[in-house]
Amino acid sequence: MALQWLILTYVVAAEVAIAVILTLPYPMLLKKRIVSLISLILQPAASIVAFAGFQLLDIYWKNEHRLECSSEVCTATERDRYEKSIYKAQRNVVLCAAGILLYWCIYRICKYNKDLEHLEELEKRYKAE
């Protein structure tokens, strides 16, 4: 059960590293190559959005069907277990949201750089005419 969260954690960490790499200032030729490489990776990596979305639905379903320990007959151990599960669910929601948001940010950064490259080519063409 924890393997899916470990995988998602590693994916989010990789997305953070990619976002940092994309936003660092590089020479133009190196920047173009990095953006083209990341763009090739983006299409297969889109599965992270579906995976994180499925995990969010799973968390929602578990939250709706969780046994609540709010009465006085609950022991301290049961109450602690309930609170711990709530905290884990909140952490996992943040992790899923971060995965989806970072994927979108990386996609937009790559698209922005490609559009910028296209506009620079158009400018060179118009100057040459």
Side-chain angles (χ1 to χ4, degrees), residues 11-58:
V11 168
V12 169
E15 285 179 340
V16 168
I18 289 171
V20 167
I21 289 171
L22 281 174
T23 55
L24 289 176
Y26 292 113
M28 203 56 159
L29 181 61
L30 185 60
K31 185 77 160 184
K32 286 179 186 179
R33 290 187 183 193
I34 290 173
V35 168
S36 66
L37 176 67
I38 303 284
S39 294
L40 290 174
I41 296 172
L42 274 178
Q43 189 172 5
S47 61
I48 189 61
V49 174
F51 182 70
F54 175 75
Q55 294 302 322
L56 283 172
L57 288 174
D58 186 45

Side-chain angles (χ1 to χ4, degrees), residues 1-9 51 54-55 58 62:
M1 196 67 169
L3 182 62
Q4 62 202 20
W5 299 113
L6 182 69
I7 291 170
L8 191 59
T9 303
F51 182 70
F54 175 75
Q55 294 302 322
D58 186 45
K62 286 178 181 176

Side-chain angles (χ1 to χ4, degrees), residues 11-12 14 26 36 39 44 54 72 78 84 89 94 114 116 125:
V11 168
V12 169
Y26 292 113
S36 66
S39 294
F54 175 75
E72 295 177 8
E78 289 173 338
K84 186 178 177 183
V94 169
K114 284 183 176 183
L116 189 62
R125 247 188 271 151

Side-chain angles (χ1 to χ4, degrees), residues 9-124:
T9 303
Y10 286 144
V11 168
V12 169
E15 285 179 340
V16 168
I18 289 171
V20 167
I21 289 171
L22 281 174
T23 55
L24 289 176
Y26 292 113
M28 203 56 159
L29 181 61
L30 185 60
K31 185 77 160 184
K32 286 179 186 179
R33 290 187 183 193
I34 290 173
V35 168
S36 66
L37 176 67
I38 303 284
S39 294
L40 290 174
I41 296 172
L42 274 178
Q43 189 172 5
S47 61
I48 189 61
V49 174
F51 182 70
F54 175 75
Q55 294 302 322
L56 283 172
L57 288 174
D58 186 45
I59 291 170
Y60 174 75
W61 186 85
K62 286 178 181 176
N63 189 39
E64 288 295 315
H65 296 89
R66 178 177 284 134
L67 296 175
E68 290 192 22
C69 187
S70 57
S71 65
E72 295 177 8
V73 294
C74 293
T75 64
T77 307
E78 289 173 338
R79 220 178 345 260
D80 288 343
R81 184 179 304 136
Y82 175 74
E83 288 177 5
K84 186 178 177 183
S85 70
I86 293 293
Y87 292 139
K88 278 185 177 181
Q90 290 171 349
R91 178 199 62 199
N92 292 339
V93 166
V94 169
L95 189 62
C96 289
I100 293 170
L101 182 67
L102 282 168
Y103 179 84
W104 179 79
C105 288
I106 292 169
Y107 171 78
R108 293 304 301 171
I109 291 169
C110 285
K111 184 166 175 25
Y112 170 75
N113 283 316
K114 284 183 176 183
D115 290 346
L116 189 62
E117 182 181 333
H118 179 69
L119 288 173
E120 287 173 354
E121 288 175 9
L122 282 175
E123 183 184 17
K124 285 180 185 176

